[in-house]
Amino acid sequence: MIVIIKPEARQEHIDSLITNLQKTYPVEIQAVKGAHCTILGLVGDTSHIDPSSIENRDIVDKVSRVSEPFKKANRSFHPDNTIIEVMGRQIGGEEIAIIAGPCSVESEEQIISIAKDVKESGATFLRGGAYKPRTSPYAFQGLEEDGLELLKIAQEKTGLPIVTEIMYPHTIDKFVEDVDIIQVGARNMQNFGLLKELGRIDKPVLLKRGLASTIEEWLMSAEYIMAGGNENVILCERGIRTFESYTRNTLDLSAIPAVKKLSHLPVIIDPSHATGLSWMVEPLACAAIAAGADGLIIEVHNDPTAALCDGPQSLTPNKFDKLMTKMKKYAEVEGRTIITNRG
Amino acid sequence: MIVIIKPEARQEHIDSLITNLQKTYPVEIQAVKGAHCTILGLVGDTSHIDPSSIENRDIVDKVSRVSEPFKKANRSFHPDNTIIEVMGRQIGGEEIAIIAGPCSVESEEQIISIAKDVKESGATFLRGGAYKPRTSPYAFQGLEEDGLELLKIAQEKTGLPIVTEIMYPHTIDKFVEDVDIIQVGARNMQNFGLLKELGRIDKPVLLKRGLASTIEEWLMSAEYIMAGGNENVILCERGIRTFESYTRNTLDLSAIPAVKKLSHLPVIIDPSHATGLSWMVEPLACAAIAAGADGLIIEVHNDPTAALCDGPQSLTPNKFDKLMTKMKKYAEVEGRTIITNRG
Amino acid sequence: MIVIIKPEARQEHIDSLITNLQKTYPVEIQAVKGAHCTILGLVGDTSHIDPSSIENRDIVDKVSRVSEPFKKANRSFHPDNTIIEVMGRQIGGEEIAIIAGPCSVESEEQIISIAKDVKESGATFLRGGAYKPRTSPYAFQGLEEDGLELLKIAQEKTGLPIVTEIMYPHTIDKFVEDVDIIQVGARNMQNFGLLKELGRIDKPVLLKRGLASTIEEWLMSAEYIMAGGNENVILCERGIRTFESYTRNTLDLSAIPAVKKLSHLPVIIDPSHATGLSWMVEPLACAAIAAGADGLIIEVHNDPTAALCDGPQSLTPNKFDKLMTKMKKYAEVEGRTIITNRG
Amino acid sequence: MIVIIKPEARQEHIDSLITNLQKTYPVEIQAVKGAHCTILGLVGDTSHIDPSSIENRDIVDKVSRVSEPFKKANRSFHPDNTIIEVMGRQIGGEEIAIIAGPCSVESEEQIISIAKDVKESGATFLRGGAYKPRTSPYAFQGLEEDGLELLKIAQEKTGLPIVTEIMYPHTIDKFVEDVDIIQVGARNMQNFGLLKELGRIDKPVLLKRGLASTIEEWLMSAEYIMAGGNENVILCERGIRTFESYTRNTLDLSAIPAVKKLSHLPVIIDPSHATGLSWMVEPLACAAIAAGADGLIIEVHNDPTAALCDGPQSLTPNKFDKLMTKMKKYAEVEGRTIITNRG
C-alpha cells in the first residue's frame, strides 16, 4: 500500500503518522522523501487495512493499493483453479457446466418437461426461479416454496442438480436442504446480511455480478462468503449497466480473463439476462466459451410466448439443442468438454 | 400502453392477440393499421401490466408505456406534496430537514457530543450508522445493537429524532421500537424482501437511490413499500455510478425536479456520500436547496481524521455550523425555512 | 413513428397538428382516441423526420420511432451483407480479415519488420498510426506525413494493404492517394465535418465506435458517410466507457449480433484498444470470432516495452503467430476462413 | 509519479530501468525496497511523461501519477482565477456571465428579436448556432455562413458579444473575424486538430465537456489550446452520458468545485442541453450558481414549438426573464452579481 503525503505536510506530522501506522497495523513502513512530496510504502499484509482510514488524515493526499484487498478469493495465495463438485458434476474443471431451464418455475408439468428436454440436449444442471426479484410489486413474484418443491421433483425425475435464487435470509435452511447450488442475484450481490448467512453453510453459491459492480467489488462479495468459511463460490457475469440501451445490459466478457487472473474461482456467463434477447444467446454463449468461461446459464422455455416472465430472452428446447451442438465444437477447440447425446 | 406489431404479422394472429389482451386485462384496445405496421393502443389502467408479458409474443415488435408503472407514488393520482411528520418536525413541507451526524456511531461520548453540536447549529435530525454495509468483510461493521442503544441515548439527551440504516429483515422490530426514521441504503434499494417488510410497518422510511438505479426503478422501490401499506417514504439521492472517478459517485441533482414532477414524495440529498469529499459538501448542499430539495443528510464528525469510517467526507461541527448559516440564506430565496440558533 | 398526445390537449389543437404534419411530411396519419390520451401513427417514410421537431409542440407528450432513423446502412433495405474488396482481399465475406501492426509507425526498419512478421503469420492487412490522437499535447503525436510514407514502403514490400487513421480533413487527398482503408478514430466518430468529407470519396472507411456512442448513433455516423455517396464503410467496435476500470474500456461483443441484425455493413473488433491489456487479446479475439465478427484489428509490436505508445496492449510477433493458429480453428467452427502459413 | 515494480522482478532489471529513466527524463528517482515489491518515486517535473511509456516495461506492475498531467491549466502553478474579458464583460470575475439565445439562428428577424429580449432581461452574451452538429445527416445542419452574418447583425444591433460553435478547422479565420467567443462542442472536445488550430489564435474559446470525458481529460483538452499559446479558455459542463434516460444527459454539478480546485479557468453550466427539458432549466440554473458557477448558457427561443432544433429544451423570453430575477437573488447570496433591468 502506497501513501502519498501532501507536499505542504510538516515533518513532525509525517513522523507521527508513521509511528501511528506502525502501532496500528502489522506492516513495515518505508519513506521516500522527494522535492515535491513524501511517499510511504506499507509493506506486509495490508488486506485488512481500510484505505479510507488512512486517507482521512489531514496530511495524506491519496492512498493506493499495490495488492488486492481480497485474500481467500485471490489466485496469488491459491494458484490452482477451484473445482466445485455437485452430485458428480464439476464446475471449474475440464467439463463446461451447462445450466439450463426456465426463468420461473410455473407448474410441475412445465418444469419436468423442460428438465427432460435440456437433459436430453446435454445440460448438466437445471435452473428455475422459485423466488423472483421483480422491479414492480405488481409483477409475478414466483411460486416461492411451491416452486422449490417442483424443482425437487424435477431433480428426482431427471437427476439434474438444481440451481435457484435465494432472496430472503430466513429461507436459508430450506435452501440448504432442497437446492444443489444456491444463486445470489445481481441485486443482492451486496446484501451483506445474506452473504454472511451463506458463509456459514457449505452449499455451493453462484454469485451473480451486480449491475454496477466492479470486478473487485464482486470478488469482495465472494470474499464475504469465503471469509465465513464457505469456499464453494461460483462467479457469474450477467451484464453491467451502461448507457447502451439496445441490449438490456452490456455483457462484459473481459470479466472472464480478468477473474481467471485475479482469482481461482470458476466463472460462468449468463447471456440470456445480459442481453434480454433470445437471438443474441447463441453468438454470445459461443463467445463466452472462446473467452474461457467455465460454464453457461441459459434460459430455456417450452413456450416462450406464454412464459410468466422474461419470455423474450428464452430459447425453445429445439434451439437450445442446436446451440449445444455448436458450443460442443467450441469447447473442443478450447480443449474442454461438453457431452451431448448427439455424440 | 402502445403495442407495435411486427410488419410481417398475419391479421388472424393480430386479432387473436387483441382478443387475448381484452380477456386478460381491464383495458380497451384500439388498433391503427398502416402500410408498414399495426399499432395497438391499450387504454385504461395499465399499471399492473408487465410489458414483457406482451413483448414476448412472436408478432409483437415492442411495447412502450404511456403512463408510469407506479401508482401510489405517482403525483398524477396524488397532486399534493406528501408531508411526513416525525416528533413535531416535517419533511416535505416548508421547513428544510437537516439530518446530520457521523457515518458510524463509535461511542456514547462521540454520538452525544456530535448530536449536541449539530442541534446547536440547527440540525433537525440526528443520523448515525449502527449497522454498516461495507464492501470488505474485514472492515469495521458498526456497533450494531449497541449502536442503536447509543443513538437512543443521544435522542433522549437532545430531543433530535434519529435516522439510521437497517440491513437485516430480522431486526425490523427493534428498529420500529428504537428508530424514528429507518434508512434503506443504496445497496439494498432492490432488496425486495426488506422492502416488503417495511411496507408492513408505519415508521417513515428513507429510501436511498441505488448506485445504478434509474429514477423510475427508485420510484418502483418506493411503490413496493407503499403497496404494502406504508406511505411514509422519503427519497434520498446519493450519487450514481458513472465513468467519472474524481468524485466517488456523480450526484444527480436533476433527480430533484424529476421526482417532484413524477411523485408527491419528499426528496432529500446526501452530498457527503455522493462525492466522498468533505470540501464538496458546501457547494453541493447549497445547490441542492436551490434545485428544490426538501432536505439534506450531511456527515459531521468531531474528529474526521480518527473516524472509523468515511472520515474524508465528514465536516467538523465548526464547518457544519458555517454551512447552516449559508444554507439558511438559500432556503430564504426559495421561500423555505431553516432555523439556526444564529437567528 | 408514434406521437403520443398529452391527455389535456384540446381537439382543435390536435386537428391542427395533424393538418400541419400532413403538410410538412410525406406521411399518412392515423389517430387512436382513447379515454386517457390520443395517439397518432405516422405511416410512410419517416427516416427524414427529426422527432424533436414534433416533440416540441405543446400538446405532444412523446414521440417514439417504429423504424430506424438510418436508411442506407439499414439491412431492411439491403438484405445481403456488404462485402468490401481491397486489393484482392475481402471484408464481410467468408474470409475473416486480420488487420495487424503497431500502434504507431516509428521507423522504416520497425514497420517493415512487423509487416513481414504479421504477413508471415497470415495477417491480411497492415495497420500503423501515422497521425496519433493523444489525450495530452505533450505526448508523441505520430510521425505524420513521414509515417504515411513509411507505410507505403511497407505496403510495397509486403503487398499488404494499409489501414491508418485520419485526423484532419485537409489531409484527405493524401490519404486517398496513399492509404487503402482510412480509419476514423473513436474520438472522431461524430466529427461530422470529417465524415462529410469521407462521403465524397470512394475509399473504404473503417469507422470506430465512439467511447460513449450507442449502436444507433454509430450507424448514423456510417449513414453520414453513405449519404454522401461512399458506401464502403466497415464498422469497428473498440470498447465503450463504463464504470469498470480494470480494463481501459468495456468491449461490447453484443454489438456484433446487433449490427448484423440492423445493418448489412461488416463489423470488426479491436480487442487491443478495448482492454489495453495484451494478455486479454487472445481470449477476446477468439470470442469475437465466435460471436460472428468479420475481422479483427490487433496491435503487434516487435518490442512492446520500447514502443512509443500503447506498448502494454501490443502482442509480440511470436504471440500473434500463436493467436492466428488458434483463431483459425475458431473460424473453421464458424464456417469461415483464416489462412495462415502454418496450414 | 510512482512506479510499482512487479514482485518477481530481478534486481539487475530494476537497476537498468532506473538508469534508463534517469537518462530519459529530468527527474530524480528514489526506490523503496520492501518484502513484496519495489517502488520507485519519480521526483521533479513529470507532466511531460507518458505513463504508458513506463508501464509497458515487463517488470513494471503499475504507474500512478501524484501530480496532474496538465500544467498551464493547473491552479497549482497559477493560483489566481483567470478572468476573461470580452467587449467590456468579464467571465470568471465577480459578475456571473449569462449567455442566452436560440439553439439555431433561423432568420434575421428571429435572432434580432431574441437578442433584444434576452438583453432586456440582463443577458450579457448572445448565443446561437450557425453550424450545427446533428446526429442525423438528414436533420437541419444550420444556416452556416449566413448564420454567422445574422449573428453579426444581432451583435451590432444589441451590443451583445456573440458565442457560436465552430465545427470545421477551415472556417477558423472567419470565426476569428466574426465571433466573440468560439465554442467547441462536446463531440469535438477531443478533435485535436481543431484544438491545435484554436491554440494559434487569441479569441476566447468556450470548451464544452465531452459526453464521456473525465474532468481530467477535459482539462487536458484545455491544455491543448493553452499549450499552443491561447490561454483564454472557458470550460462548460453540459451533462455526461450515464445509464439514466429520464434526462438527455446527467448534469454533473460537482464538476464546478472540482474544476475550481484543479484549475484557474472559469467554468460555466449549460442546463438546457444537459437535461433536454425546459422545465428543468430553472432549478438547475439556480443550483449551478449556488455551486459556484461563473456563468450559464441558456437556450431561449421566441417560439419553442416552431424551433428548427432543440425546441423542447428552450425557454420563452418571458420565462427567461423570470429566471433572471431568481438567479439574481442566488448570485447575491454567493456575493456575486447579475444585473437585470428590473433592478
Side-chain angles (χ1 to χ4, degrees), chain D residues 103-254:
Chain D
C103 178
S104 290
V105 180
E106 293 169 17
S107 69
E108 183 171 338
E109 198 196 338
Q110 173 239 24
I111 191 68
I112 289 173
S113 154
I114 296 176
K116 284 183 176 168
D117 281 342
V118 300
K119 189 191 179 185
E120 179 76 14
S121 300
T124 44
F125 295 84
L126 176 66
R127 61 151 288 157
Y131 295 84
K132 301 296 306 169
R134 304 301 301 275
T135 305
S136 167
Y138 310 122
F140 173 60
Q141 309 274 318
L143 295 182
E144 308 201 327
E145 266 199 64
D146 293 346
L148 288 187
E149 290 307 312
L150 299 179
L151 281 169
K152 261 170 70 177
I153 297 172
Q155 188 235 52
E156 280 154 23
K157 296 247 175 184
T158 59
L160 290 179
I162 57 178
V163 183
T164 197
E165 179 170 350
I166 192 166
M167 281 183 67
Y168 311 117
H170 71 264
T171 61
I172 197 161
D173 292 341
K174 183 128 192 67
F175 270 73
V176 169
E177 207 173 308
D178 291 353
V179 168
D180 302 301
I181 298 180
I182 302 176
Q183 179 179 318
V184 176
R187 283 168 184 76
N188 279 320
M189 194 202 86
Q190 292 191 319
N191 180 339
F192 300 118
L194 188 59
L195 300 181
K196 283 177 186 170
E197 290 295 324
L198 293 166
R200 294 193 187 109
I201 60 172
D202 64 357
K203 277 274 156 168
V205 175
L206 191 157
L207 179 67
K208 289 203 160 186
R209 180 178 178 186
L211 275 85
S213 297
T214 62
I215 291 169
E216 186 174 298
E217 288 168 342
W218 187 22
L219 290 169
M220 287 309 283
S221 286
E223 188 82 7
Y224 254 96
I225 300 169
M226 298 171 89
N230 183 359
E231 306 209 349
N232 299 307
V233 179
I234 301 150
L235 298 162
C236 177
E237 155 69 27
R238 43 77 72 219
I240 56 174
R241 189 159 267 188
T242 70
F243 63 84
E244 176 60 73
S245 61
Y246 188 80
T247 44
R248 187 196 290 160
N249 295 116
T250 297
L251 183 63
D252 178 13
L253 288 180
S254 53

Side-chain angles (χ1 to χ4, degrees), chain B residues 183-255:
Chain B
Q183 178 179 318
V184 176
R187 283 168 185 76
N188 279 320
M189 193 201 87
Q190 293 191 319
N191 180 339
F192 300 118
L194 188 59
L195 300 181
K196 283 176 185 170
E197 291 295 323
L198 293 166
R200 295 192 187 109
I201 61 172
D202 65 358
K203 276 276 153 163
V205 176
L206 190 157
L207 180 66
K208 290 204 160 185
R209 179 179 181 185
L211 275 83
S213 299
T214 63
I215 291 168
E216 187 175 297
E217 288 168 342
W218 187 22
L219 290 168
M220 288 307 283
S221 286
E223 189 82 8
Y224 254 97
I225 300 168
M226 299 172 88
N230 183 358
E231 306 209 350
N232 299 306
V233 179
I234 302 150
L235 299 163
C236 177
E237 155 69 25
R238 42 79 71 221
I240 56 174
R241 189 158 267 186
T242 69
F243 64 85
E244 176 60 73
S245 60
Y246 188 80
T247 45
R248 187 196 290 160
N249 295 117
T250 298
L251 183 64
D252 178 12
L253 289 180
S254 54

Side-chain angles (χ1 to χ4, degrees), chain C residues 206-209 218 234-238 268 270 297:
Chain C
L206 190 157
L207 179 67
K208 290 203 160 186
R209 180 179 180 187
W218 187 22
I234 302 151
L235 298 163
C236 177
E237 155 69 25
R238 43 79 71 220
I268 69 169
D270 179 347
I297 179 162

Side-chain angles (χ1 to χ4, degrees), chain A residues 110-321:
Chain A
Q110 173 239 24
I111 190 68
I112 290 173
S113 153
I114 297 176
K116 285 183 177 167
D117 281 342
V118 299
K119 189 188 180 187
E120 178 76 15
S121 299
T124 42
F125 296 85
L126 175 67
R127 59 151 291 157
Y131 295 84
K132 299 297 307 170
R134 304 300 302 274
T135 304
S136 167
Y138 309 123
F140 173 60
Q141 310 274 317
L143 294 182
E144 308 200 328
E145 265 199 66
D146 293 347
L148 288 187
E149 290 307 313
L150 298 179
L151 282 168
K152 260 169 71 177
I153 297 172
Q155 189 236 50
E156 282 154 22
K157 297 247 174 182
T158 59
L160 290 180
I162 57 178
V163 183
T164 196
E165 179 170 351
I166 192 166
M167 282 184 67
Y168 312 116
H170 71 265
T171 60
I172 197 161
D173 292 341
K174 184 132 192 65
F175 270 73
V176 169
E177 208 174 308
D178 292 353
V179 168
D180 302 302
I181 297 180
I182 302 176
Q183 178 178 321
V184 176
R187 284 167 184 77
N188 279 321
M189 192 201 86
Q190 292 191 319
N191 181 339
F192 301 118
L194 188 59
L195 300 182
K196 283 177 187 172
E197 290 295 325
L198 293 166
R200 293 192 189 110
I201 61 171
D202 64 358
K203 276 274 156 167
V205 175
L206 190 157
L207 179 67
K208 289 202 161 186
R209 180 179 179 186
L211 277 82
S213 298
T214 62
I215 291 168
E216 185 175 299
E217 288 168 342
W218 187 22
L219 289 169
M220 288 308 283
S221 285
E223 188 81 9
Y224 255 96
I225 299 169
M226 298 172 89
N230 183 356
E231 306 210 349
N232 298 306
V233 179
I234 302 150
L235 298 162
C236 177
E237 155 68 27
R238 42 79 70 219
I240 56 173
R241 190 159 265 188
T242 69
F243 63 85
E244 176 60 72
S245 61
Y246 187 80
T247 44
R248 187 198 288 160
N249 294 117
T250 298
L251 183 63
D252 179 12
L253 288 181
S254 54
I256 301 171
V259 164
K260 288 284 167 201
K261 189 175 191 87
L262 294 167
S263 179
H264 51 88
L265 297 173
V267 59
I268 69 168
I269 296 294
D270 179 346
S272 307
H273 280 86
T275 63
L277 299 164
S278 64
W279 54 271
M280 281 211 182
V281 170
E282 185 199 293
L284 293 176
C286 294
I289 292 175
D294 293 307
L296 285 149
I297 179 162
I298 292 174
E299 274 191 28
V300 178
H301 197 284
N302 48 5
D303 182 6
T305 66
L308 291 182
C309 79
D310 279 344
Q313 73 201 25
S314 292
L315 296 184
T316 58
N318 190 35
K319 282 190 184 155
F320 176 69
D321 191 69

Side-chain angles (χ1 to χ4, degrees), chain D residues 41-98:
Chain D
L42 276 63
V43 181
D45 177 7
T46 59
S47 68
H48 291 214
I49 304 180
D50 182 4
S52 73
S53 68
I54 299 176
E55 214 155 0
N56 60 12
R57 316 287 171 133
D58 268 351
I59 62 166
V60 173
D61 186 22
K62 63 177 178 176
V63 175
S64 100
R65 283 198 170 277
V66 179
S67 53
E68 292 83 19
F70 45 90
K71 212 165 167 179
K72 293 198 167 240
N74 199 323
R75 189 177 282 276
S76 310
F77 306 117
H78 185 311
D80 293 333
N81 287 339
T82 284
I83 299 177
I84 289 168
E85 310 239 0
V86 185
M87 291 174 65
R89 279 91 177 169
Q90 291 189 336
I91 303 184
E94 189 197 299
E95 199 178 312
I96 289 180
I98 306 292

Side-chain angles (χ1 to χ4, degrees), chain A residues 63-75:
Chain A
V63 175
S64 100
R65 282 198 172 278
V66 179
S67 52
E68 292 84 18
F70 46 89
K71 214 166 164 176
K72 294 198 167 241
N74 199 323
R75 189 177 281 275

Side-chain angles (χ1 to χ4, degrees), chain C residues 36-316:
Chain C
H36 288 80
C37 71
T38 296
I39 290 153
L40 309 182
L42 275 62
V43 181
D45 176 8
T46 59
S47 68
H48 291 215
I49 303 179
D50 182 4
S52 73
S53 67
I54 299 176
E55 213 156 0
N56 61 12
R57 317 287 171 131
D58 268 351
I59 62 166
V60 173
D61 187 22
K62 62 176 181 177
V63 176
S64 98
R65 283 197 171 277
V66 178
S67 52
E68 292 84 19
F70 45 91
K71 217 169 163 174
K72 294 198 165 240
N74 200 322
R75 188 176 283 274
S76 311
F77 306 116
H78 185 311
D80 294 333
N81 286 338
T82 283
I83 299 176
I84 290 170
E85 308 239 1
V86 185
M87 291 174 64
R89 279 92 179 167
Q90 292 188 336
I91 303 183
E94 189 198 299
E95 197 179 312
I96 289 181
I98 306 292
I99 305 169
C103 179
S104 291
V105 180
E106 294 170 18
S107 68
E108 184 172 336
E109 196 195 339
Q110 173 240 22
I111 191 68
I112 289 174
S113 153
I114 297 176
K116 285 184 176 167
D117 281 341
V118 299
K119 189 189 179 188
E120 178 77 13
S121 300
T124 43
F125 295 85
L126 175 66
R127 60 151 291 157
Y131 295 84
K132 300 297 307 170
R134 304 300 302 274
T135 305
S136 166
Y138 309 122
F140 173 60
Q141 310 275 316
L143 294 182
E144 309 202 326
E145 267 199 63
D146 294 345
L148 289 187
E149 290 307 313
L150 298 180
L151 283 168
K152 261 170 69 178
I153 297 172
Q155 188 235 51
E156 281 155 22
K157 296 247 173 182
T158 59
L160 291 180
I162 57 178
V163 183
T164 197
E165 180 169 350
I166 192 167
M167 282 184 67
Y168 312 116
H170 71 264
T171 60
I172 197 161
D173 291 342
K174 183 129 194 67
F175 270 73
V176 169
E177 208 174 306
D178 292 352
V179 168
D180 303 301
I181 298 180
I182 302 177
Q183 177 178 320
V184 176
R187 285 169 184 75
N188 278 322
M189 193 202 85
Q190 292 191 318
N191 181 340
F192 300 118
L194 188 59
L195 299 182
K196 283 177 187 171
E197 290 295 325
L198 293 166
R200 293 191 189 109
I201 61 171
D202 64 358
K203 276 276 155 166
V205 175
L206 190 157
L207 179 67
K208 290 203 160 186
R209 180 179 180 187
L211 275 83
S213 298
T214 62
I215 291 168
E216 186 174 298
E217 288 168 343
W218 187 22
L219 289 169
M220 288 308 284
S221 286
E223 188 82 8
Y224 255 95
I225 299 169
M226 297 171 89
N230 183 358
E231 307 210 350
N232 299 307
V233 179
I234 302 151
L235 298 163
C236 177
E237 155 69 25
R238 43 79 71 220
I240 57 174
R241 189 159 266 189
T242 70
F243 63 85
E244 175 60 70
S245 61
Y246 187 80
T247 44
R248 187 197 289 160
N249 295 116
T250 298
L251 183 64
D252 178 13
L253 288 181
S254 53
I256 300 170
V259 164
K260 288 283 166 202
K261 190 175 191 87
L262 294 167
S263 180
H264 50 88
L265 296 173
V267 58
I268 69 169
I269 296 294
D270 179 347
S272 307
H273 280 85
T275 63
L277 298 164
S278 65
W279 54 271
M280 281 213 182
V281 170
E282 186 199 293
L284 294 175
C286 293
I289 291 175
D294 293 308
L296 285 148
I297 179 162
I298 292 173
E299 274 192 26
V300 178
H301 197 284
N302 46 7
D303 182 6
T305 66
L308 292 181
C309 78
D310 280 343
Q313 73 200 25
S314 292
L315 296 184
T316 57

